[in-house]
Amino acid sequence: VKKWTRRAFIGAGTVAGGGFLLGAAGFTFAPGRHSLVSADAADKGQLTTWITITPDNIVTILIPHCEMGQGTPTALAMMAAEELEADWSLVRVQEAPALDEYANGYIVRAVGGHYVPAVLGRGVDYGAYKVMEWFGFQVTGGSTAVRGTGEYGMRVAGAAAKEMLLAAAAQQWGLRASECVAKASRVTHAASGRSATFGELARSAATQSVPTSPALKNPASFTIRRTSPRRLDIPSKVDGSAQYAIDFATPGMLYAALEIAPVHGGKLVSVDTAPAEAMAGVKKVVTLDEAVAVVADSFWRARRALAVLKPAFTDAGHGDVSTASIFAAFDKALGAPPEMPTDAAKVVTAEYRVPFLAHVTMEPMVCTVKVEGDRADVWTGVQDPLNARSVAAKALGLEVANVRLTNFMLGGGFGRRLPFTFDYVDLAARVAKAMSPTPVKTIWTRENDIQHDYYRGAALSRHAGALDANGVPLAAHSNYTGGGSGEAVFMPYAIAGKNAKEKKARHPIRLGQWRSVLNSQHGFFKESFIDEMAHAAGKDPFEFRRGLLGDQPRFKAALEKAAAMANWGTSLPQGEGRGIAICESFGTIVAEVVQVAVSPEGRLTVPHVYAAVDCGDVVNMDSAAAQVEGGIIFALSAALLSEITIAQGRVVEKNFRDYPMIHIADAPTVTTAFIRSDAPLGGLGEPGVPPLAAALANAIHAATGIRVRELPIRKTPLKNV
Amino acid sequence: MAITITVNGTAHSLDVEPEMPLLWALRETLGLTGTKFGCGISACGACTVHLDGRAVRSCTLPISAADGKSVTTIEGLARNGTLHRVQEAWVAHQVPQCGYCQSGMIMAVAGLLAQIPNPTDDEIDANLTNICRCGTFARVRTAIHQAAGSEGAAS
């Protein structure tokens, strides 16, 4: 069922002190339509936002998404404030608590029936909304916040509140609402010179009838959107006052350090707890099915005591699994390269390989839990507070309603803190249960984090392409495995025979969603291969792509923009080169040109990256650019350096020494341009990632003639012999 | 044996093991949580503080090494309610994303500017090895130059 019917709810009332409260909630959806109808009383609303206006003329907007560095709360508040005609300096933002009422059904609405965010994983279609409802999602992920919650929730709520304020003013002044104008948190009537602040009108506004289809502003008259107001979270992030889960403290709290079965699925066989229990500050050694935890009065003491334990774990039967064995299985599953037309003048084949990757958020996994009788409190940082609360409840055997979760700012998310990967909440809950009623903060070490992630999948892809005698592509096929199937294989190019087939190969390494999900692998595969086809055709890689985008005007415009920004086609010194790639993900098209220099000794530097981005329209220009910049650096670090390897069933890498990240010395300047199109709003948290690795590899080829077909790039010697 | 340290201008006598890293004494004993735990091996810089004015990574520094010394954390960088010029530049260029690494990044940069008031790009590259997973490096560089420039203008 792809067609949503639309029913939503909006309610208003007064708050203490004479303020105005407006709540907007949504059920099911008609993509692209913005309005609300009164709910019948039987419907239980899921609140998307509320807007309060207090007599001091402050507008407070509640946001059902978390702040993990993308500026989402600021952007969402801008969308509501724009329609409300609020003075931005008088707007405040508050994150929604983890209550069922805030399950963000709007995340599904953003997808409009043609695309479901992969973060929702399994079997989501008709039921996308139903699944949300059952599992109680409150997700920040899939680059959906602005295009879902913002477009269909915030805007409508802001517009409705404005109409009620206008109605209140008109009533007071004996005028028609249409004669009054709202601007900068004030309603005015030009002819009579009357004027009142939103705060002064709040009490009366609350008694006005709620509009069911408030008119939205024409984008041409936006005054808050398309500007760059400062993000609301930044002041607290320069003076140390921002509160992350790791910073939470409550009286009597103890600390836990964990050692988890090194092979996922392994069980604790035995551990002599006595040596740790004899150490200073240690309160208890807690043994769990798959882990041992030392609980102490400081984290450092807990960790020091954990280090003396010698727990034995099973290997879950996976002790013979290695990176080599996994890729051997991939190789077998893929078989021969796809067959090409026999009349082709030229056939191109290539094989690409990418490794497992860890998320490595700067804040490791942290969760504090206090269990008291049949109730529990959870303090953590997650991309989905409601689902995390369910995980804690299940681990504790408690009713979900009896578990209260407080979410904190996230020290990075990148997909690690999404539903189905809340092992750190589960473990922390079980440790705290053993210490009930004492609250326990379980802090993962960096080693825990890197060795017990839900990894970006390693993948192998085998490609074949055919060209006619004029270099026109006839076919481009691929067989791939490890990356999972999905829309990420889409190629926009006009090639008669395009095909991408997934071949299944099983392995026991647990996988999760890593920034941009499957696009991170397929962006590298498909945009490397089209580059190889361009070279085989004897054509410039930019011109070759452009020639195949005649019926894809948005792709073509982005590609041309990125090329122009990078002065594509102008000559570069020996050893330097440019590479280009373009991908669509999460409704946004991004073309990137990477410029590289490779020294005669094979040392690679990346001075510049240019990105042309079509996400429809942009809410906060500066934080949108920051997301693209961040996505590019995130992808660059992975493409150059990152690889999780498996030996004897377990992850080998432990910390930043063997899973290194780029530093400022390695970071390019990033120039980002946005193309305004009439397309629906696209996401921004992730789409900067997918084109980068291919554009980089293509640039290395342009500079050196060496074709990189395996990530990370450090594995390919770049010294030209 | 009690350890005596001055943190952000206030003297403390701490009864902790001498080998406890300064990071955990700051965070758990003194409740100064602006300084972050990122790796525990001095690789990422999230735990950077100033020890007698020099930037150090506190996650591997035993507190005994700070005995009798003065420590400045991110909470103490602003003076009398006025942000340090590095903090001001961070706001002006909207540097932080998730923000978790930025306490350490700001302390490292403030330490760098104390040593090299107007660093070149090469000097920044050679001296700043803090890790930021959100990828704020380009803005960090711009903000450093602004902070250095504002110092130059003031002197």
Side-chain angles (χ1 to χ4, degrees):
Chain A
V1 179
K2 292 279 166 71
K3 210 166 166 66
W4 302 99
T5 57
R6 173 175 44 78
R7 276 205 330 229
F9 165 82
I10 194 162
T14 50
V15 292
F20 166 56
L21 168 78
L22 179 139
F27 287 130
T28 51
F29 312 104
R33 299 184 62 177
H34 307 73
S35 60
L36 297 154
V37 294
S38 296
D40 64 60
D43 284 338
K44 176 172 168 289
Q46 287 190 314
L47 214 50
T48 294
T49 180
W50 72 36
I51 294 173
T52 60
I53 303 170
T54 38
D56 58 0
N57 207 23
I58 294 294
V59 174
T60 303
I61 300 170
L62 183 111
I63 304 293
H65 294 273
C66 62
E67 178 60 80
M68 54 183 180
Q70 339 86 307
T72 297
T74 306
L76 292 177
M78 288 170 72
M79 296 176 89
E82 179 75 65
E83 300 296 336
L84 180 59
E85 297 290 358
D87 177 340
W88 180 248
S89 69
L90 302 175
V91 173
R92 307 288 179 263
V93 171
Q94 194 182 332
E95 187 182 327
L99 299 171
D100 287 333
E101 288 75 9
Y102 296 101
N104 48 11
Y106 289 99
I107 195 171
V108 180
R109 185 177 326 191
V111 306
H114 72 277
Y115 164 71
V116 170
V119 295
L120 298 177
R122 18 211 109 161
V124 184
D125 187 352
Y126 143 68
Y129 174 71
K130 274 290 164 201
V131 169
M132 306 284 295
E133 195 176 53
W134 291 330
F135 286 96
F137 284 92
Q138 191 179 15
V139 181
T140 302
S143 296
T144 52
V146 165
R147 56 205 178 110
T149 308
E151 190 64 16
Y152 299 97
M154 293 295 163
R155 290 190 73 189
V156 179
K162 180 186 77 177
E163 291 194 3
M164 293 167 76
L165 288 158
L166 286 170
Q171 188 179 50
Q172 274 183 27
W173 302 334
L175 300 164
R176 285 195 302 274
S178 60
E179 297 174 80
C180 303
V181 174
K183 197 176 180 188
S185 292
R186 182 175 280 278
V187 177
T188 54
H189 179 245
S192 66
R194 289 195 182 92
S195 168
T197 66
F198 285 2
E200 289 161 355
L201 295 166
R203 183 189 291 269
S204 165
T207 67
Q208 304 297 320
S209 64
V210 180
T212 54
S213 292
L216 299 186
K217 288 179 74 167
N218 182 325
S221 63
F222 284 165
T223 57
I224 296 174
R225 294 174 62 164
R226 300 178 173 173
T227 67
S228 296
R230 288 181 169 181
R231 266 173 42 210
L232 302 162
D233 55 314
I234 283 186
S236 72
K237 291 176 175 176
V238 303
D239 65 5
S241 64
Q243 290 286 302
Y244 302 84
I246 200 170
D247 303 327
F248 173 75
T250 187
M253 183 178 80
L254 297 174
Y255 301 83
L258 281 175
E259 183 166 346
I260 307 166
V263 180
H264 298 139
K267 302 288 179 202
L268 179 65
V269 177
S270 64
V271 61
D272 174 11
T273 61
E277 280 165 341
M279 293 175 71
V282 173
K283 304 296 182 186
K284 191 170 186 173
V285 177
V286 177
T287 55
L288 303 172
D289 267 1
E290 76 281 44
V292 57
V294 175
V295 180
D297 60 1
S298 89
F299 180 65
W300 177 72
R301 284 175 152 184
R303 204 179 163 187
R304 181 177 61 170
L306 183 71
V308 307
L309 294 181
K310 303 266 181 285
F313 297 96
T314 70
D315 66 9
H318 302 314
D320 57 348
V321 174
S322 66
T323 299
S325 77
I326 291 167
F327 273 94
F330 287 173
D331 178 67
K332 196 173 161 203
L334 287 186
E339 288 190 14
M340 284 292 104
T342 49
D343 58 342
K346 204 169 199 177
V347 169
V348 188
T349 59
E351 178 182 295
Y352 305 97
R353 167 181 168 136
V354 297
F356 293 106
L357 295 174
H359 298 81
V360 197
T361 57
M362 285 306 296
E363 179 189 27
M365 304 303 112
V366 178
C367 183
T368 305
V369 181
K370 177 183 166 77
V371 185
E372 200 162 17
D374 64 350
R375 310 190 73 83
D377 264 296
V378 178
W379 296 271
T380 188
V382 289
Q383 288 170 250
D384 179 356
L386 286 172
N387 187 250
R389 189 181 64 153
S390 301
V391 168
K394 192 173 173 209
L396 297 170
L398 297 180
E399 294 291 324
V400 172
N402 285 356
V403 177
R404 190 165 55 179
L405 185 143
T406 305
N407 202 27
F408 289 80
M409 276 191 193
L410 310 189
F414 316 129
R416 177 63 180 93
R417 306 182 205 265
L418 280 171
F420 310 115
T421 59
F422 289 135
D423 56 342
Y424 56 101
V425 175
D426 174 50
L427 284 160
R430 286 184 280 145
V431 171
K433 190 177 183 183
M435 301 302 294
S436 173
T438 305
V440 181
K441 183 198 283 187
T442 299
I443 301 175
W444 283 34
T445 60
R446 181 58 62 197
E447 290 80 3
N448 289 147
D449 175 60
I450 288 181
Q451 301 213 309
H452 301 281
D453 201 347
Y454 291 78
Y455 301 92
R456 196 288 300 268
L460 188 66
S461 191
R462 219 158 257 170
H463 296 245
L467 299 161
D468 72 10
N470 298 317
V472 175
L474 302 171
H477 291 194
S478 67
N479 293 332
Y480 63 91
T481 187
S485 64
E487 73 285 348
V489 300
F490 171 73
M491 288 175 87
Y493 306 113
I495 299 174
K498 281 190 292 187
N499 202 352
K501 276 193 193 140
E502 186 189 13
K503 307 282 183 177
K504 296 281 188 189
R506 301 177 71 84
H507 63 70
I509 305 307
R510 60 185 204 179
L511 305 179
Q513 315 290 354
W514 188 90
R515 195 172 186 174
S516 86
V517 198
L518 303 174
N519 297 284
S520 75
Q521 297 111 328
H522 287 289
F524 176 63
F525 299 156
K526 64 193 182 184
E527 281 296 298
S528 292
F529 188 66
I530 200 74
D531 219 68
E532 299 213 41
M533 288 186 73
H535 286 284
K539 293 184 182 168
D540 173 84
F542 160 64
E543 294 294 352
F544 185 75
R545 285 176 173 83
R546 188 167 71 144
L548 298 173
L549 291 173
D551 57 353
Q552 295 280 3
R554 288 179 68 208
F555 278 91
K556 187 158 174 274
L559 191 80
E560 289 171 347
K561 178 74 179 173
M565 290 164 71
N567 293 313
W568 186 273
T570 58
S571 67
L572 289 171
Q574 178 73 23
E576 296 187 20
R578 296 185 190 95
I580 194 165
I582 185 166
C583 296
E584 179 179 14
S585 60
F586 309 95
T588 294
I589 295 169
V590 180
E592 292 173 10
V593 174
V594 174
Q595 194 172 323
V596 303
V598 182
S599 75
E601 297 75 38
R603 193 177 123 67
L604 170 69
T605 52
V606 186
H608 302 295
V609 178
Y610 304 88
V613 180
D614 176 355
C615 57
D617 199 357
V618 176
V619 178
N620 185 328
M621 299 301 292
D622 186 63
S623 62
Q627 282 306 295
V628 177
E629 293 161 18
I632 284 170
I633 300 295
F634 189 87
L636 178 66
S637 197
L640 291 173
L641 300 174
S642 300
E643 179 177 29
I644 289 290
T645 49
I646 310 296
Q648 297 177 303
R650 57 179 290 176
V651 171
V652 173
E653 288 73 21
K654 289 189 166 74
N655 205 319
F656 289 120
R657 299 246 189 266
D658 51 6
Y659 196 75
M661 301 292 161
I662 64 167
H663 294 162
I664 196 168
D666 313 304
T669 59
V670 178
T671 310
T672 305
F674 290 97
I675 298 166
R676 194 176 290 164
S677 72
D678 55 5
L681 291 183
L684 276 169
E686 298 165 276
V689 173
L692 189 278
L696 176 59
N698 297 340
I700 290 168
H701 182 266
T704 64
I706 297 169
R707 176 59 67 177
V708 174
R709 297 194 181 90
E710 178 180 4
L711 299 181
I713 287 166
R714 65 175 161 84
K715 297 179 86 171
T716 304
L718 299 182
K719 188 173 159 68
N720 235 334
V721 287
Chain B
M1 189 189 77
I3 306 278
T4 306
I5 57 171
T6 299
V7 181
N8 300 331
T10 305
H12 297 272
S13 180
L14 303 180
D15 186 21
V16 296
E17 291 96 323
E19 65 270 29
M20 176 186 260
L22 175 60
L23 170 70
W24 297 108
L26 291 170
R27 288 185 54 85
E28 294 180 355
T29 311
L30 296 176
L32 292 169
T33 56
T35 306
K36 301 305 188 201
F37 167 60
C39 67
I41 58 169
S42 283
C44 77
C47 63
T48 305
V49 299
H50 294 175
L51 184 65
D52 283 348
R54 297 189 75 101
V56 295
R57 293 186 175 178
S58 64
C59 72
T60 52
L61 186 82
I63 192 161
S64 57
D67 195 12
K69 296 187 178 172
S70 175
V71 174
T72 304
T73 70
I74 187 72
E75 291 93 343
L77 192 61
R79 291 290 158 83
N80 306 319
T82 303
L83 292 182
H84 186 279
R85 64 184 192 277
V86 173
Q87 293 169 306
E88 281 178 351
W90 250 238
V91 174
H93 292 279
Q94 298 280 285
V95 173
Q97 289 190 27
C98 89
Y100 191 81
C101 75
Q102 298 294 345
S103 294
M105 191 78 81
I106 289 168
M107 295 308 286
V109 168
L112 170 64
L113 295 184
Q115 303 292 317
I116 309 174
N118 206 342
T120 63
D121 281 333
D122 284 347
E123 286 169 329
I124 292 170
D125 290 347
N127 288 286
L128 191 64
T129 56
N130 291 46
I131 292 172
C132 167
R133 287 290 285 146
C134 298
T136 62
F137 293 123
R139 288 173 187 239
V140 166
R141 187 185 301 280
T142 309
I144 292 172
H145 287 307
Q146 182 195 303
S150 65
E151 163 76 349
S155 63

